[in-house]
Amino acid sequence: MKQKLLSVLSLVLFSQAFAQSDKFYATTDSENAKELKARFPQEIEIVGVSGNQSAIFLTKNAAEFLHHNVVTHGPGYVYKSSKEEALSAINKTKKSNKVLAFTIDQNAAVASAIAKVSADNIKAHIQVLENYGTRHHTTAKAQTAVQDLKTKWQNLITASGRTDVSVRIENHVGTPMPSLVFTINGTTAPTDFIIVGAHMDSITNNTNNAPGADDDASGIATISEMIRVLLNINYKPAKTVEFMAFAAEEIGLVGSSEIAQDYALANKNVVSFVQFDMTNYKGSTKDVYLTTDPYNSNDLNLFLIELMEHYNKTGSHVFTYGNTICNYGCSDHYSWAENGYEAAFPFEASFTQYNPNIHTTSDKLSNMGNSATHAAKFAKLGLEFILETAKGSILATSETANTSSVEIYVKDKNLNYKLGKESIENLTIIDTSGRQLLETQSILPFGKIDLNKLNNGFYLAVFKTKSGKVITKKFILE
Ligand code: BES
Ligand code: ZN
């Protein structure tokens, strides 16, 4: 991460946005802010404090100290383009423990979508993005890459003949590179947004050689494949669905923080945001690693677990999941969480085992050791997430609800259940980190399960039927 700091510094030195002053606004942990203030009283001003987050105005020298000495991983702060932005970022009250009213009933649509995901498409697209040589946010190549992606997405829209789908450029204050936004208007709930993101820029210590194949061509190629599939099945979502290719993530989440801020200021109802940043290096035994940083949404993570339990446990699209933690605002999902939205970040590996080549000139497809089969799992998860949260219809048919054959409720720390026609082989209780806490083998048609050993919180009950179907039910212990 040191090379990146050099790039951050060169941005600070050369970028027009910063030319007037050596200092810039950021947010950081309040403890970090105090520590810095004690050490460099002249170089940092704490302009606001809200709980454990502070808004600061600091020199690049103080920022460098923070990066190298105070935090263990990452820059240690989140860049903000103005004092107002820094102040409003720390004053956002995060909706915590909100229960998202998500259900799983789009079996037919999901089945046809995930069967269409092509690892070859993803692989080919990663190669195209790598071939720019660099997508560093200050370069002309980055501009071209964004324009070309716009053309690629526009061509898919044109071929579909649809008028309810569009793509737009978003320009920024903090970087010359634009972001790209692809929108499918919702049919019945168009003011509710389901957003999926990835970042388009790359970084190394050499501005002109930053292939960024895994970080994050893999994420862009993954979301592009989702777009292709959704148009292919003529998906008409009830909620508005957006895909975002963010600019300048690598220098401090610049593109996403400006867009998330705009959405929050406009009071847009972003129901959920999921980020795909690094999807194609299988560094660990499991496949998808949900990040459980405190700013992420527990409930959204649990829903992603529910989706994988439902769609990826058996059948032709099996993959596994685990959990890990970033320990800082490590990608664009943080910008959305900071603005009070429910955000998640499913990652390619555990944090001790991710692609060792990122942020170097070796971050190439040829060094990833697979043919985008890893990324394809993320495209499937992304499609499951979109189809089940934004609902709607595919082709001409509308979905019939999947009437679940288990009823549950929680009372006095007991899980009461009643089975329908299906006989159940086993029941597993899973927490928001994906840990299996309880497994019961022989299940009577109705009864209760003692949950006194479990802490309060959100859980998932997974019933596996004798015929191999998986029925999931979420519950809260309080
Ligand atoms: N893809 C990385 C984030 C990442 C790296 C997550 C390794 C998990 C493991 C991302 O592009 C990145 O480099 N982010 C910056 C943070 C940002 C605020 C500048 C980082 O991690 O330093
Ligand atoms: Zn990245």
Side-chain angles (χ1 to χ4, degrees):
M1 307 270 151
K2 285 193 186 155
Q3 302 128 335
K4 186 159 18 113
L5 179 78
L6 290 176
S7 310
V8 171
L9 295 185
S10 50
L11 173 82
V12 171
L13 288 171
F14 300 122
S15 145
Q16 265 202 327
F18 299 135
Q20 303 93 319
S21 153
D22 166 48
K23 286 190 181 166
F24 64 98
Y25 287 96
T27 58
T28 192
D29 186 90
S30 295
E31 289 299 312
N32 294 346
K34 273 194 261 166
E35 215 174 311
L36 269 191
K37 185 71 188 168
R39 191 175 286 264
F40 302 104
Q42 304 304 321
E43 298 197 28
I44 167 171
E45 212 179 307
I46 301 180
V47 296
V49 181
S50 173
N52 60 4
Q53 284 289 300
S54 293
I56 53 178
F57 189 50
L58 76 170
T59 61
K60 62 182 195 302
N61 180 52
E64 183 174 9
F65 184 83
L66 178 62
H67 174 71
H68 286 283
N69 300 287
V70 180
V71 291
T72 49
H73 184 30
Y77 58 85
V78 177
Y79 161 83
K80 293 287 155 192
S81 58
S82 68
K83 184 174 178 178
E84 292 66 42
E85 220 201 292
L87 284 174
S88 87
I90 61 166
N91 288 318
K92 299 269 151 60
T93 43
K94 173 114 174 61
K95 290 168 262 162
S96 65
N97 287 359
K98 193 180 108 181
V99 180
L100 299 169
F102 292 152
T103 52
I104 297 186
D105 53 19
Q106 303 291 305
N107 288 307
V110 170
S112 79
I114 64 180
K116 290 196 154 73
V117 169
S118 153
D120 284 345
N121 283 346
I122 299 175
K123 180 184 167 181
H125 196 187
I126 294 174
Q127 190 63 59
V128 165
L129 293 166
E130 177 185 317
N131 289 348
Y132 288 101
T134 184
R135 298 183 313 282
H136 187 270
H137 77 116
T138 56
T139 62
K141 291 269 181 63
Q143 303 273 341
T144 310
V146 175
Q147 290 302 331
D148 291 352
L149 186 65
K150 183 178 183 227
T151 305
K152 183 182 174 85
W153 287 357
Q154 185 58 57
N155 287 344
L156 290 169
I157 298 172
T158 308
S160 76
R162 286 177 55 172
T163 54
D164 56 336
V165 188
S166 57
V167 57
R168 70 174 193 269
I169 289 278
E170 285 273 348
N171 290 306
H172 297 297
V173 178
T175 171
M177 182 180 180
S179 296
L180 195 62
V181 179
F182 177 101
T183 307
I184 314 181
N185 293 337
T187 52
T188 57
T191 58
D192 291 349
F193 287 77
I194 295 295
I195 307 180
V196 169
H199 70 89
M200 190 60 171
D201 65 314
S202 62
I203 204 162
T204 67
N205 57 4
N206 178 352
T207 305
N208 296 313
N209 185 359
D214 194 24
D215 189 9
D216 183 25
S218 66
I220 296 291
T222 301
I223 69 171
S224 254
E225 180 62 2
M226 292 181 213
I227 289 176
R228 186 193 69 78
V229 167
L230 291 176
L231 291 179
N232 182 285
I233 61 175
N234 203 21
Y235 175 51
K236 306 246 167 87
K239 298 188 178 75
T240 294
V241 172
E242 293 199 316
F243 292 88
M244 300 191 178
F246 297 115
E249 185 269 356
E250 297 285 10
I251 56 153
L253 320 178
V254 171
S256 61
S257 81
E258 291 187 18
I259 295 177
Q261 170 98 351
D262 284 351
Y263 274 51
L265 287 175
N267 259 321
K268 289 197 183 173
N269 184 28
V270 178
V271 176
S272 283
F273 175 89
V274 173
Q275 173 77 351
F276 291 98
D277 182 359
M278 300 168 62
T279 60
N280 200 38
Y281 177 81
K282 184 167 167 32
S284 304
T285 47
K286 304 267 175 57
D287 294 315
V288 172
Y289 283 76
L290 297 168
T291 54
T292 58
D293 294 87
Y295 57 82
N296 284 344
S297 165
N298 272 334
D299 206 39
L300 182 54
N301 269 341
L302 193 61
F303 186 63
L304 296 178
I305 291 171
E306 189 173 1
L307 289 170
M308 293 186 277
E309 286 291 335
H310 188 90
Y311 288 116
N312 311 110
K313 196 85 187 180
T314 56
S316 355
H317 305 283
V318 172
F319 53 87
T320 56
Y321 61 86
N323 71 83
T324 189
I325 187 159
C326 250
N327 278 319
Y328 63 101
C330 57
S331 192
D332 297 307
H333 60 303
Y334 180 76
S335 300
W336 297 87
E338 210 186 22
N339 281 285
Y341 296 124
E342 306 289 319
F345 176 34
F347 187 64
E348 67 182 12
S350 128
F351 275 123
T352 51
Q353 298 176 311
Y354 66 82
N355 190 332
N357 292 317
I358 66 158
H359 301 165
T360 77
T361 54
S362 305
D363 183 5
K364 296 189 165 185
L365 185 62
S366 56
N367 294 327
M368 265 188 270
N370 72 70
S371 38
T373 48
H374 200 53
K377 299 159 195 161
F378 290 81
K380 289 174 185 176
L381 175 60
L383 287 166
E384 292 160 12
F385 163 71
I386 291 166
L387 289 162
E388 291 289 5
T389 55
K391 301 296 185 194
S393 65
I394 65 163
L395 302 168
T397 63
S398 66
E399 291 307 306
T400 48
N402 157 36
T403 45
S404 157
S405 49
V406 177
E407 281 168 35
I408 66 162
Y409 66 91
V410 176
K411 203 176 164 218
D412 304 327
K413 282 227 163 186
N414 278 296
L415 178 72
N416 297 266
Y417 66 88
K418 184 164 164 279
L419 308 181
K421 292 188 288 285
E422 299 267 13
S423 17
I424 301 293
E425 191 164 280
N426 67 40
L427 161 63
T428 317
I429 310 279
I430 297 177
D431 73 4
T432 57
S433 307
R435 272 183 311 224
Q436 300 205 349
L437 302 174
L438 265 174
E439 184 162 358
T440 312
Q441 293 297 346
S442 50
I443 304 248
L444 300 168
F446 61 91
K448 54 185 168 185
I449 306 235
D450 186 351
L451 302 178
N452 276 290
K453 289 212 184 80
L454 306 188
N455 296 327
N456 288 348
F458 296 153
Y459 294 93
L460 190 67
V462 181
F463 297 86
K464 205 169 291 158
T465 69
K466 292 233 162 78
S467 62
K469 260 207 327 196
V470 176
I471 301 163
T472 53
K473 293 276 175 182
K474 216 157 36 177
F475 66 88
I476 305 175
L477 264 191
E478 49 192 2

